[in-house]
Amino acid sequence: MTSSSDRSPAVDVQGPKSYEIRTYGCQMNVHDSERLAGLLEDAGYVRAPEGADGDADVVVFNTCAVRENADNRLYGNLGHLAPQKAKRPGMQIAVGGCLAQKDRDTIVKRAPWVDVVFGTHNIGKLPVLLERARVQQEAQVEIAESLEAFPSTLPTRRESAYAAWVSISVGCNNTCTFCIVPALRGKEKDRRPGDILAEVEALVAEGVSEITLLGQNVNAYGSDIGDREAFSKLLRACGNIDGLERVRFTSPHPRDFTDDVIAAMAETPNAMPQLHMPLQSGSDTVLKAMRRSYRQERYLGIIEKVRAAIPHAAITTDIIVGFPGETEEDFEQTLHVVREARFAQAFTFQYSKRPGTPAAEMEDQIPKEVVQARYERLVALQEEISWEENKKQVGRTLELMVAEGEGRKDGATHRLSGRAPDNRLVHFTKPEQDVRPGDVVTVEITYAAPHHLLAEGPVLGVRRTRAGDAWEKRIAAEAAQPAGVMLGLPKVGVPEPLPVAANSGCGCD
């Protein structure tokens, strides 16, 4: 425990205290933030309005440690809040997540106005630590070395009324040389299948119609319980849950992607025709240096099997450009795999040193200008392929799950947006009939761009769903709350099942 002599005195604040959570990193962090929100609301806090920008009683940073400048970003944001905290007695700041697990006491040494530092294994302690810091008037630093309780047992405030993350495992047993996540999240720990299915059934009963099974290495599920086919069995079991319309998962690892998983995807009606399969590099030499346990032939073999079993599957990937020692020939092998695999989309990253990883200490670090040039060539190739693959969708009739907040120009264009079964984003003409997020519409695709599709004709059909009812009920309940409670509408919409280029790249894939 580290103390600070200039900490503000505790005060009694009239009414419920507000909170704001800022999330950086991968889908696991996004889901952890839903749990942090649930914990705080369970303790009596209320969510601050959208765009509060630090104007809350408690500001929580859920951090990521995989980017080279992750710490600079955190301390810059903490510095921005220091003057606000000085003006607001009783305001508290908490830092959790992967960077907190890694840096521990360093955070309060560099930012002594921080009240709480907690790790990836003890997020359930946040309300207690905030109260302890308030009473004792000193910073609380508590970093558990191993998981105290599976996070899904914690209260959760889900960001969507109709689509949800469901964590099936935490941690990772891989040792990729560019990734620090296993050191911060720990070894893989699997949930019992019955507990997972019980959570899914409870969510469906609440109106959720789409779930995304989540893990650092999702298809390695079963290694902790001694069943190599546990993941495919779990997919099939999800197919037997009435009312569950869409099942997705992220992110798998090529090493563990077996034929029984492909069969389960193809034969389970609500398993969506979408697969995110991280490549990282197409070069066998680089894959070996990365300590990735597959090679180009094995990877392309998986893609071929998936396409044979699920012809309309949209396959996406992650690629790192400029890994230490990568030659021009190595990079050409990556381009070769991109041409052969014909990804619907690729999330591409320029290699940056992750402090604490073996790759950061490797010789032959690639000059920035070389990495940039290769990155631009890769992006140009993938843009061309994405557009060509999207053009194949023109003329198809698709069922979309209506989403909110996915089309930034929807208001100006009088369109709505939704996700196709393969997770492609589609903007469609707003029908005369009222439709809600979670409802399903049938449209015909008329135009393709590299990153989205358009359905410019009239909507062919609208199906109102229990998921849309759940969204409507949630909005009505929040509108009826007393002034000052749950200000602002929640961010609703299907949780992104794919990495986002700007803030992903956990490396755990």
Side-chain angles (χ1 to χ4, degrees), residues 295-410:
R295 298 297 178 258
Q296 180 187 122
E297 183 178 2
R298 158 76 172 151
Y299 185 92
L300 288 175
I302 293 172
I303 302 301
E304 183 179 358
K305 288 180 179 180
V306 170
R307 289 251 159 81
I310 314 168
H312 287 299
I315 301 175
T316 57
T317 197
D318 294 334
I319 300 173
I320 296 173
V321 178
F323 188 80
E326 180 188 71
T327 65
E328 179 63 24
E329 182 180 355
D330 292 325
F331 179 65
E332 287 290 346
Q333 288 299 307
T334 295
L335 297 181
H336 169 71
V337 174
V338 170
R339 294 187 187 99
E340 290 293 312
R342 300 197 64 79
F343 300 115
Q345 194 171 2
F347 299 91
T348 52
F349 305 91
Q350 297 185 36
Y351 172 79
S352 61
K353 291 182 179 181
R354 273 78 163 172
T357 63
E361 306 301 323
M362 288 182 176
E363 298 180 355
D364 298 324
Q365 300 283 330
I366 310 300
K368 172 65 177 176
E369 60 272 17
V370 175
V371 177
Q372 180 68 33
R374 290 177 183 170
Y375 175 80
E376 292 173 1
R377 288 163 59 194
L378 174 60
V379 168
L381 173 61
Q382 182 56 52
E383 286 278 300
E384 178 184 332
I385 292 172
S386 294
W387 201 356
E388 290 173 356
E389 291 301 307
N390 274 1
K391 286 176 182 177
K392 295 177 182 177
Q393 305 298 311
V394 174
R396 291 189 67 194
T397 299
L398 300 175
E399 276 198 339
L400 312 179
M401 180 177 288
V402 182
E404 182 168 281
E406 300 240 33
R408 288 174 292 178
K409 299 179 181 179
D410 282 352

Side-chain angles (χ1 to χ4, degrees), residues 128-360:
V128 172
L129 293 172
L130 286 168
E131 182 61 23
R132 193 186 300 164
R134 185 179 293 113
V135 171
Q136 297 184 4
Q137 290 297 291
E138 57 185 7
Q140 304 295 309
V141 180
E142 189 167 307
I143 306 292
E145 297 300 331
S146 60
L147 195 67
E148 295 184 344
F150 203 92
S152 289
T153 62
L154 301 173
T156 303
R157 186 199 193 282
R158 296 186 183 272
E159 290 297 316
S160 169
Y162 57 89
W165 306 107
V166 175
S167 183
I168 70 171
S169 64
V170 293
C172 181
N173 294 336
N174 293 321
T175 58
C176 301
T177 55
F178 55 80
C179 181
I180 197 171
V181 170
L184 303 179
R185 291 276 182 179
K187 292 292 185 180
E188 180 175 327
K189 184 174 179 59
D190 296 333
R191 292 179 71 189
R192 294 174 54 186
D195 293 341
I196 296 168
L197 295 172
E199 181 179 354
V200 175
E201 289 171 350
L203 288 167
V204 172
E206 295 170 4
V208 168
S209 62
E210 174 172 325
I211 61 132
T212 301
L213 302 175
L214 183 64
Q216 305 287 164
N217 181 7
V218 71
N219 60 317
Y221 177 74
S223 62
D224 187 44
I225 56 179
D227 185 353
R228 291 181 59 84
E229 295 189 355
F231 184 63
S232 62
K233 292 175 183 176
L234 184 62
L235 282 178
R236 292 183 186 275
C238 287
N240 295 325
I241 297 177
D242 291 337
L244 181 58
E245 297 194 18
R246 295 185 172 192
V247 178
R248 306 185 191 277
F249 58 89
T250 194
S251 287
H253 191 292
R255 181 194 65 186
D256 302 300
F257 205 82
T258 48
D259 291 349
D260 61 297
V261 175
I262 298 173
M265 290 178 64
E267 296 165 9
T268 304
N270 59 3
M272 292 295 95
Q274 171 226 334
L275 175 64
H276 185 71
M277 181 64 72
L279 170 65
Q280 307 303 6
S281 175
S283 163
D284 288 353
T285 301
V286 174
L287 288 171
K288 183 178 180 180
M290 288 179 168
R291 223 178 278 160
R292 303 285 285 180
S293 52
Y294 56 89
R295 298 297 178 258
Q296 180 187 122
E297 183 178 2
R298 158 76 172 151
Y299 185 92
L300 288 175
I302 293 172
I303 302 301
E304 183 179 358
K305 288 180 179 180
V306 170
R307 289 251 159 81
I310 314 168
H312 287 299
I315 301 175
T316 57
T317 197
D318 294 334
I319 300 173
I320 296 173
V321 178
F323 188 80
E326 180 188 71
T327 65
E328 179 63 24
E329 182 180 355
D330 292 325
F331 179 65
E332 287 290 346
Q333 288 299 307
T334 295
L335 297 181
H336 169 71
V337 174
V338 170
R339 294 187 187 99
E340 290 293 312
R342 300 197 64 79
F343 300 115
Q345 194 171 2
F347 299 91
T348 52
F349 305 91
Q350 297 185 36
Y351 172 79
S352 61
K353 291 182 179 181
R354 273 78 163 172
T357 63

